[in-house]
């Protein structure tokens, strides 16, 4: 393998390992896009901390053993770059009608519109989450958490650059217009919202942020894995490198929720509280009770399920057949990778009952990916539940049924309990506050969101992490705040 592909060229304004210095047209287009991006970052990025020095990691190679370098940087000066995983020699398309053919280095004309749409949708989610999280720095429970938030934010920004590079290089004028539109839309905006529902929701507090990075970034992981299988090689290589960064985002979510739970059970034990569902008593300790954590989980998990689209989808079938978007771990699946005669079980509403129905595997690809996602989600829940049982409490966090609280797909027009029992509108209206965060729950969590910026100190509702970032000590100054 050619080693200079691994290292990143910092000689142009845009760090890259795609030889931009010799690709004048694309370099010029990206340099033209850059000022608008910086304006967007200054307008919509983390509010109040743009001049703070933050201890961030930057990619200086794409070698998994040494791709990140840590140093202090002001976020607007962060070197966002174009980074692709190394090219595989003689890579073949691993699925669909073109199975076994050489991977494409250019976009085939007949798949241009479909490919562009998938890249734009992926690209649109990246700036959206930065916009959703822009106020959180002001209520950070510690400098460690603040730094993790900002690391997630700058990497979402880099993932936007990754998609914009593909649009600018491979889609001509259409691509340039799409790249401009990615900076024009705004999360939650009435006139030009982001493209997917979960990315127009507010992220009002840090528990929401941890749930978002655990559940919604995990949807991102599944989508990136599917696109990393793509027959279009530049998209595959882009997504393979993005996955190395996405792992940290889910780590922030999983350990964040785990630390909230740890602090809650520690406080309950110290106060001699036996019943974890005695919400008033637990809240009197200034921590977040476990039933409210379950409600937040219900909300973020179901919003994330909607991101997979309809269970049965001809769009998904077309993207697979075309060789554009595969399945999770496509190359490890033992089948023909064309799904000509296969079926896949899908939960559907049949005569008012929830039943499992065998559908053609080709049109049930969204369902399969969503099932893979749910299996992946369960791993973190097992670890969270272990914290609770180790503390001696009989309480289990659970994923709600897929029919619960859905806005897209088979169950969008019905109401169901978290256990999957169908109920009428009146019962839903009466009970939904038992299952989803109420206004009062939100107000209570908001009341805890007081910033903690002393070195090595943590808010009363969250436990310290087991280890620091980059093996730093507990009282390391992760963010140097302007005073």
């Amino acid at each position: 393998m050619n080693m200079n592909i691994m290292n990143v060229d910092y000689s142009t304004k845009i760090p890259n390992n795609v030889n931009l210095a010799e690709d004048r047209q694309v370099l010029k287009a990206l340099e033209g896009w850059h000022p608008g991006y910086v304006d967007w970052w200054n307008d919509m990025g983390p509010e109040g901390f743009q001049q703070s020095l933050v201890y961030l990691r930057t990619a200086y190679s794409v070698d998994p053993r040494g791709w990140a370098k840590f140093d202090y940087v002001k976020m607007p000066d962060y070197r966002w770059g174009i980074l692709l995983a190394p090219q595989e020699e003689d890579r073949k398309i691993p699925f669909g009608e073109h199975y076994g053919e050489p991977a494409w280095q250019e976009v085939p004309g007949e798949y241009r519109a479909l490919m562009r749409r998938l890249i734009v949708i992926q690209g649109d989610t990246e700036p959206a989450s930065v916009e959703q999280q822009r106020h959180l720095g002001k209520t950070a429970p510690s400098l460690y958490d603040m730094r993790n938030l900002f690391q997630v934010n700058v990497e979402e920004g880099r993932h936007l650059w990754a998609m914009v590079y593909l649009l600018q290089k491979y889609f001509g004028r259409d691509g340039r217009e799409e790249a401009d539109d990615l900076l024009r839309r705004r999360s939650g905006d009435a006139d030009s919202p982001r493209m997917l529902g979960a990315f127009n929701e507010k992220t009002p507090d840090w528990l929401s942020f941890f749930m978002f990075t655990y559940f919604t970034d995990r949807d991102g992981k599944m989508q990136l894995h599917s696109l990393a299988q793509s027959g279009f090689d530049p998209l595959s290589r882009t997504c393979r490198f993005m996955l190395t960064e996405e792992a940290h985002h889910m780590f922030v979510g999983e350990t964040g929720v785990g630390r909230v739970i740890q602090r809650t059970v520690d406080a309950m034990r110290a106060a001699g509280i036996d019943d974890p569902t005695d919400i008033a008593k637990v809240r009197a300790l200034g921590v977040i009770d476990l039933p409210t954590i379950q409600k937040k989980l219900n909300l973020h998990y179901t919003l994330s399920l909607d991101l997979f689209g309809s269970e049965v989808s001809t769009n998904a079938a077309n993207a697979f057949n075309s060789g554009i978007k595969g399945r999770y771990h496509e190359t490890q699946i033992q089948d023909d990778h064309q799904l000509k005669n296969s079926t896949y079980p899908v939960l559907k509403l049949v005569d008012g009952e929830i039943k499992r129905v065998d559908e053609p595997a080709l049109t049930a690809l969204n369902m399969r990916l969503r099932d893979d996602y749910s299996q992946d989600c369960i791993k973190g829940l097992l670890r969270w539940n272990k914290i609770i049982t180790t503390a001696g409490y009989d309480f289990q966090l659970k994923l709600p049924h897929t029919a619960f609280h859905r806005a897209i797909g088979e169950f969008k027009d019905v109401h169901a309990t978290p256990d999957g029992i169908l109920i009428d509108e009146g019962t839903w209206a009466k009970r939904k506050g038992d299952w989803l965060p109420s206004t009062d729950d939100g107000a209570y969590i908001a009341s805890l969101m007081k910033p903690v910026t002393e070195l090595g100190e943590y808010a009363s509702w969250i436990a310290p992490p087991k280890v620091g970032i980059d093996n730093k000590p507990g009282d390391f100054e992760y963010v140097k705040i302007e005073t």
Side-chain angles (χ1 to χ4, degrees), residues 279 283 289 292 295 433 436-446:
I279 291 169
R283 287 187 179 179
D289 55 281
T292 298
K295 289 189 202 179
L436 292 169
S438 65
T439 311
D440 287 349
D441 296 329
Y444 172 68
I445 295 172

Side-chain angles (χ1 to χ4, degrees), residues 72-263:
Y72 285 105
V73 62
K74 291 181 181 178
M75 284 183 282
D77 301 336
Y78 187 80
R79 300 298 303 277
W80 286 284
I82 312 293
L83 307 170
L84 276 62
Q87 191 162 5
E88 280 175 34
E89 297 277 321
D90 302 322
R91 182 172 174 261
K92 302 285 191 281
I93 297 170
F95 60 90
E97 288 170 359
H98 301 280
Y99 178 67
E101 294 175 21
W104 308 307
Q105 301 307 320
E106 296 287 335
V107 181
E110 68 268 36
Y111 302 141
R112 202 179 162 80
L114 183 55
M115 188 93 73
R116 188 182 76 208
R117 178 159 175 80
L118 283 172
I119 291 170
V120 168
I121 289 172
Q122 183 63 46
D124 192 71
T125 66
E126 312 292 355
S129 56
V130 177
E131 293 165 357
Q132 289 172 296
Q133 295 157 13
R134 64 188 296 251
H135 300 297
L136 289 175
K138 294 174 172 173
T139 55
S142 71
L143 292 180
Y144 165 88
D145 290 294
M146 185 188 283
R147 177 254 164 227
N148 281 348
L149 166 72
F150 296 158
Q151 183 72 55
V152 168
N153 291 159
V154 294
E155 285 175 359
E156 301 290 16
R158 202 205 70 71
H159 294 175
L160 171 61
W161 274 94
M163 294 297 129
V164 164
Y165 165 72
L166 295 176
L167 289 169
Q168 302 268 25
K169 181 166 175 65
Y170 296 101
F171 293 90
R173 177 187 287 176
D174 289 354
R176 288 194 293 280
E177 286 174 4
E178 294 281 18
D180 290 342
D181 280 347
L182 287 169
L183 296 177
R184 185 181 54 76
R185 289 187 286 273
R186 293 282 184 270
S187 176
D189 187 280
D191 299 321
S192 53
R194 292 293 171 185
M195 297 169 87
L196 300 177
F199 291 90
N200 289 306
E201 298 282 332
K202 286 188 164 50
T203 307
D205 57 68
W206 276 79
L207 182 54
S208 300
F209 170 66
F210 293 140
M211 290 290 182
F212 183 97
T213 46
Y214 186 76
F215 287 109
T216 308
D217 280 329
R218 190 169 307 277
D219 161 74
K221 166 188 163 177
M222 306 311 281
Q223 305 297 344
L224 289 174
H225 262 289
S226 306
L227 294 170
Q229 313 290 329
S230 182
F232 178 42
D233 207 42
L235 176 60
S236 166
R237 291 170 58 202
T238 298
C239 293
R240 291 212 308 277
F241 185 68
M242 285 166 75
L243 281 162
T244 56
E245 295 174 309
E246 200 71 45
H248 173 256
H249 306 185
M250 290 176 294
F251 161 84
V252 169
E254 186 185 319
T255 56
V257 175
R259 288 163 53 217
V260 175
I261 294 167
Q262 186 71 61
R263 180 73 192 100

